[in-house]
Amino acid sequence: MKKLLLVSLLVLAMMLFVGGVASANGGPHGDYTATTDACAGCHRAHTASSDNLLMADSTYDLCVSCHGGSATGANTNVDDGVFVSGRGGDEGTSTADGAALLGGGFVNYGGAAVSSTHDPTGVDNMAWGAGNERGVLAAISENLDCASCHDPHGSPNYRIIKEEINGVSVSVAQSDEGASKNYGVVSWSAQQSNVCGACHNPYQHATADTTTGTFTHAVDVTYGGSTTFTDGNGDTVSVDLASGYIVCQTCHFPHGTSASMTGYAAGAGPAGDSALLRKDNRGVCQACHQK
Amino acid sequence: MSLTTQSTPPPDLNSAEKRRRRLLLMVLAGLSALLLFVLFLFARYLNQPEPLPELLPVPVEVNYPPHYLLSIYDVDGPIGVAVSPEGDRIYVTEMRGERLIKIFDKEGVFLDSFSPPRTTQGERSPVYIATDSRGRVYVTDRLQHAIFVYDRDGNYLDTILSPTLTLSEYVAKHTKTAPTPGSFSYDIFEEEVDCKDAEGGDLTLPRPDYALWAPLGIRFDSHDRMLLTDVTEDAHSVRVVPSDVVMSPDWLDFDLSAMQFGASGQGDGQFLFPNSAVDDAQGRVIVTDGNNGRLSVWDDQGAFLFHFGSGSGDGALSLPRGEAIDGRDRLHVVDAVGQNIKVYDFSGPEPAFLFAFGSMGVRDAQFNYPNDIALDDSGRLYVTDRENNRIQVWSY
């Protein structure tokens, strides 16, 4: 009851007293004023159907009302992992139409069905390494949904990534924050790994750490070598660094991937588990470790 | 001992008894005749050629909400819905699964499904759907940024690639002959057009050049005009296309640019993701201004008039999406987050909220993110109930 009262008071305070909260995006994700009607887009003060005074039983269902495959209320189609602005060119937008979203997709990516995703539907609260031990699933503080990582009311960055995830303070920055917002080009800093580290903490180490008895690839370190490789089939694979740093997102999609994992040697690993990797098989390794 | 049988003589009927019996016979004959007459009348009533008497018309000023009839399942994340001009077919677009366009009969029996040519599930995103008076089916596609056009059975006819170009027009310009439906197709990912040359041989053309646009909402009014919303980034607008363009015998000189109005934003005359446009009997164009949570009303010349439906109260909208207007100028607006259908009276100079129906849930007559609505001439309403994976059918 106290929680409900607190949330009610917060919503009322926002409706009555807040005069222009700083936010990265306009529309329903910010630019709230004392006269805004935007609150009612998602909330009800007294007749909500869910907690946080939401008109939604599922946060994911609410988000895909705009950001789903039909993209009826947004250009960022997270189901297909694609930016849809308007066919014919880049006029009027800083993101090319058809650009792949850096987060990947929850249903498709690159026109193909996904092979692994974070489950954003609010039914799972387990994360690898959440118990500070690599390779072990442990519970996080809440069931995972879109609002676990994104703040629908806006945040200092235009991807509206929260400043606190799983109870951990997170600070991220994008080099193109401001007028230009390009959802299809890497504009992260090394801090981007903090988003993942909030739940997968033991994987975020800048050295080949053995704290938990296992080694892990270093992240948040600079890399000066080539990140593009042409393999024996003539296919080019490449990954993107974040301002020169290797971050979690250099190799992994936060949302979902359609990468195929047919390249495992027999018995060498969990065949078929694409583990949110950006490239087929072990392309993310080959991009830098060019063998 | 012998027995002797003696016959008893008949009683001597007196005249009074004879009269009584005659009277009884006459009454019996009369009743039989009456029964035959009633049977004759009954048979005549059953076979009379005249229609049954007209029911008393409902007074125009009476407004009451519709009632729930049934639900149609076998759809995956339904988004858009349309009804054929005859009212015998329901067309539905899917957001999830195979993302098909499905056809059902009026009672919800699945008939067929179809999709844009040369597309896989991940390459198409059918959203809003409409039928013109000829029964042709138009489907906007958010990934393809195009309007695909089919016949009433779902056979592909043509693609509106941009406001000034159809695929048949593009092919005709190269082959110098009007192509027949089914002889051409376009793969936007491969960026090539397959068609037939003048001799009937296979021909591959490069991708066409087209103007920037992002068609979303589509409706046809009673005058065969196409009302289209365009959500091109930073240039949200509405187009009203004259019937002579749409109903032209061919689309080899296509141009949707006759009337276009609106801009992106939150102010007067601006939209944030307009999802649908319809017109009322006064010629006003009413637009569901989705992310601004309101209706935007324009005159028949494309001049902004006023906003309506924002704020708080029973008639206030949260996330208006599809809409449909009936013959009494009652506007039905799907409120996707409000989880109901709100109905407004647009018959007068000032619109007025009438009633809403539906609530959030998974039971009959409850919605879980409804998105679009279509009406037929018999008073039926079809609503896509996205997260309940069904189309709800209501009736007045």
Side-chain angles (χ1 to χ4, degrees), chain A residues 221-229 239-241 244 246 287-290:
Chain A
V221 295
T222 56
Y223 178 68
S226 170
T227 56
T228 300
F229 176 65
V239 293
D240 292 311
L241 301 175
I246 298 169
C288 297
H289 306 283
Q290 299 161 358

Side-chain angles (χ1 to χ4, degrees), chain B residues 109-283:
Chain B
V109 177
F110 173 77
L111 299 176
D112 205 351
S113 64
F114 56 96
S115 59
R118 300 174 71 182
T119 60
T120 62
Q121 172 266 350
E123 296 173 340
R124 58 181 176 248
S125 179
V127 187
Y128 287 106
I129 186 166
T131 57
D132 68 15
S133 63
R134 294 181 186 168
R136 292 181 296 196
V137 183
Y138 298 67
V139 185
T140 60
D141 195 295
R142 195 77 170 94
L143 285 181
Q144 299 266 339
H145 296 318
I147 302 171
F148 291 91
V149 186
Y150 308 85
D151 69 14
R152 72 186 304 272
D153 296 322
N155 298 307
Y156 171 73
L157 297 175
D158 205 346
T159 306
I160 304 174
L161 293 169
S162 82
T164 55
L165 184 67
T166 63
L167 187 55
S168 61
E169 181 179 355
Y170 177 73
V171 171
K173 283 178 180 172
H174 282 77
T175 62
K176 311 299 180 192
T177 181
T180 56
S183 68
F184 57 92
S185 62
Y186 175 38
D187 187 327
I188 70 163
F189 294 95
E190 295 295 328
E191 297 192 335
E192 59 184 26
V193 174
D194 284 348
C195 59
K196 302 291 184 185
D197 60 24
E199 286 73 42
D202 292 335
L203 182 65
T204 299
L205 301 174
R207 71 183 291 275
D209 291 325
Y210 20 65
L212 183 70
W213 82 328
L216 182 64
I218 186 167
R219 288 285 188 272
F220 286 89
D221 68 8
S222 58
H223 308 294
D224 272 331
R225 297 192 306 171
M226 179 195 291
L227 293 98
L228 188 66
T229 70
D230 188 338
V231 293
T232 301
E233 191 181 28
D234 297 333
H236 293 186
S237 66
V238 170
R239 297 171 185 273
V240 179
V241 185
S243 61
D244 59 339
V245 174
V246 180
M247 291 300 159
S248 171
D250 59 51
W251 288 348
L252 301 182
D253 189 19
F254 202 71
D255 191 351
L256 295 179
S257 57
M259 182 194 293
Q260 184 177 11
F261 51 82
S264 289
Q266 301 176 59
D268 289 349
Q270 296 180 325
F271 306 118
L272 283 180
F273 285 91
N275 266 238
S276 178
V278 298
D279 59 354
D280 65 12
Q282 301 172 54

Side-chain angles (χ1 to χ4, degrees), chain A residues 40 44 61 69 71 87 92-93, chain B residues 125 142 144 233-234 318 369 386:
Chain A
R44 289 291 182 280
D61 290 347
R87 178 198 270 176
T93 176
Chain B
S125 179
R142 195 77 170 94
Q144 299 266 339
E233 191 181 28
D234 297 333
S318 293
Y369 295 98
R386 193 190 80 214

Side-chain angles (χ1 to χ4, degrees), chain B residues 63-98:
Chain B
N63 283 295
Y64 52 90
H67 59 275
Y68 171 83
L69 274 185
L70 56 100
S71 285
I72 302 170
Y73 290 86
D74 194 22
V75 284
D76 204 345
I79 283 289
V81 63
V83 182
S84 63
E86 299 81 9
D88 61 338
R89 291 184 172 203
I90 307 152
Y91 300 93
V92 183
T93 58
E94 294 180 313
M95 185 179 92
R96 286 193 295 267
E98 284 302 307

